[in-house]
């Protein structure tokens, strides 16, 4: 690792400077409470340049989270809605699990499993999803020897949560109401 300034490799020295700058910014006293507010984009993300769904297709999303998630426009709209509510971690976890299931290499699988666990499952994770201890314990046991089904129980719980909670809120939102006009 880094020992003494003279022995610092160029990239390590650059990293140290970055950290010093960031700490300096954090330690500055804000002029007002406005400086403490996290910037929030007032305008929601517009769905990706995908074809807008037909009215019939969009109406099916009210009753089927599967159909919503399988449609690029629907998925993007749903993601934008969840971001506007600061609750996108469930969808991000579900999508990470879907990507995880496509991995063929055991080494890459173990690496991705660790990343998903650290980002979404472990206590105090940056994007911790709301799963019960039983589900968390099963998932942790499954990760001793990662397989394509390691996250299945947790993913099913999160899917059920989105279906029961997030989807109805989305259907009542402006995001969806504008789409079906």
């Amino acid at each position: 690792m880094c020992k003494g300034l003279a022995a610092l490799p160029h990239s390590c020295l650059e990293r140290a400077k970055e950290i010093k700058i960031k700490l300096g910014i954090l330690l500055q006293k804000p002029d007002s409470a406005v400086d403490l507010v996290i910037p929030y984009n007032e305008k929601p993300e517009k769905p990706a340049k995908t074809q807008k769904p037909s009215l019939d297709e969009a109406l099916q999303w009210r009753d089927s989270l599967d159909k919503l998630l399988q449609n690029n426009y629907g998925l993007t709209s749903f993601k934008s809605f969840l971001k506007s509510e600061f609750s996108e971690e469930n969808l991000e976890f579900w999508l990470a699990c879907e990507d995880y299931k496509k991995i063929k290499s055991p080494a890459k699988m173990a690496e991705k499993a660790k990343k998903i666990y650290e980002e979404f499952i472990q206590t105090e994770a940056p994007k911790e999803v709301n799963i019960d201890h039983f589900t968390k314990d099963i998932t942790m046991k499954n990760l001793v020897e990662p397989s394509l089904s390691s996250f299945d129980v947790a993913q099913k719980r999160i899917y059920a949560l989105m279906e029961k909670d997030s989807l109805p809120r989305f259907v009542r939102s402006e995001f969806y109401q504008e789409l079906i006009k």
Side-chain angles (χ1 to χ4, degrees), residues 97-105 109 142 145-152 155:
C97 291
E98 289 298 292
D99 286 343
Y100 174 79
K101 291 176 188 177
K102 297 172 188 169
I103 299 173
K104 303 284 184 238
S105 157
M109 190 179 293
N142 290 344
E145 288 183 39
S147 71
L148 293 178
S149 61
S150 292
F151 294 101
D152 282 0
Q155 187 183 20

Side-chain angles (χ1 to χ4, degrees), residues 73-90:
Y73 197 96
L75 177 61
T76 305
S77 295
F78 189 50
K79 189 183 289 186
S80 295
F81 165 72
L82 292 173
K83 279 185 179 183
S84 77
E85 290 200 332
F86 303 100
S87 64
E88 69 269 20
E89 67 281 345
N90 287 342

Side-chain angles (χ1 to χ4, degrees), residues 29-77:
K29 187 176 178 183
D31 293 333
S32 69
V34 173
D35 292 343
L36 295 172
V37 176
I38 297 169
Y40 173 67
N41 185 1
E42 290 293 325
K43 290 189 175 184
E45 264 180 50
K46 286 199 174 163
K49 299 268 185 209
T50 56
Q51 186 176 349
K52 190 174 178 179
S54 68
L55 179 59
D56 285 343
E57 201 173 5
L59 287 172
Q60 290 177 6
W61 300 345
R62 293 184 299 191
D63 305 314
S64 174
L65 182 58
D66 272 336
K67 287 187 177 167
L68 172 66
L69 297 175
Q70 289 167 5
N71 181 288
N72 286 336
Y73 197 96
L75 177 61
T76 305
S77 295

Side-chain angles (χ1 to χ4, degrees), residues 9-181:
H10 185 67
S11 63
C12 194
L13 185 57
E14 286 176 8
R15 183 76 183 124
K17 285 179 184 177
E18 284 177 33
I19 292 170
K20 182 181 176 188
I21 290 168
K22 288 178 182 175
L23 282 173
I25 291 169
L26 285 173
L27 293 174
Q28 289 176 0
K29 187 176 178 183
D31 293 333
S32 69
V34 173
D35 292 343
L36 295 172
V37 176
I38 297 169
Y40 173 67
N41 185 1
E42 290 293 325
K43 290 189 175 184
E45 264 180 50
K46 286 199 174 163
K49 299 268 185 209
T50 56
Q51 186 176 349
K52 190 174 178 179
S54 68
L55 179 59
D56 285 343
E57 201 173 5
L59 287 172
Q60 290 177 6
W61 300 345
R62 293 184 299 191
D63 305 314
S64 174
L65 182 58
D66 272 336
K67 287 187 177 167
L68 172 66
L69 297 175
Q70 289 167 5
N71 181 288
N72 286 336
Y73 197 96
L75 177 61
T76 305
S77 295
F78 189 50
K79 189 183 289 186
S80 295
F81 165 72
L82 292 173
K83 279 185 179 183
S84 77
E85 290 200 332
F86 303 100
S87 64
E88 69 269 20
E89 67 281 345
N90 287 342
L91 179 60
E92 288 179 7
F93 171 71
W94 188 86
L95 291 169
C97 291
E98 289 298 292
D99 286 343
Y100 174 79
K101 291 176 188 177
K102 297 172 188 169
I103 299 173
K104 303 284 184 238
S105 157
K108 286 184 181 176
M109 190 179 293
E111 184 182 317
K112 180 76 171 177
K114 183 179 188 289
K115 186 178 177 186
I116 291 172
Y117 174 78
E118 290 173 351
E119 190 172 356
F120 299 103
I121 304 289
Q122 78 181 9
T123 305
E124 301 297 319
K127 297 178 181 179
E128 186 177 3
V129 291
N130 187 8
I131 54 174
D132 57 272
H133 290 291
F134 177 75
T135 303
K136 194 177 273 196
D137 289 344
I138 289 173
T139 304
M140 287 170 55
K141 285 176 185 158
N142 290 344
L143 293 176
V144 172
E145 288 183 39
S147 71
L148 293 178
S149 61
S150 292
F151 294 101
D152 282 0
V153 175
Q155 187 183 20
K156 284 178 182 149
R157 293 264 197 266
I158 291 303
Y159 182 92
L161 234 167
M162 288 192 301
E163 194 171 42
K164 186 182 84 182
D165 183 47
S166 305
L167 181 61
R169 286 196 330 269
F170 172 68
V171 168
R172 290 188 303 268
S173 75
E174 268 186 53
F175 286 84
Y176 184 74
Q177 294 302 316
E178 284 296 314
L179 197 58
I180 60 169
K181 278 186 178 177

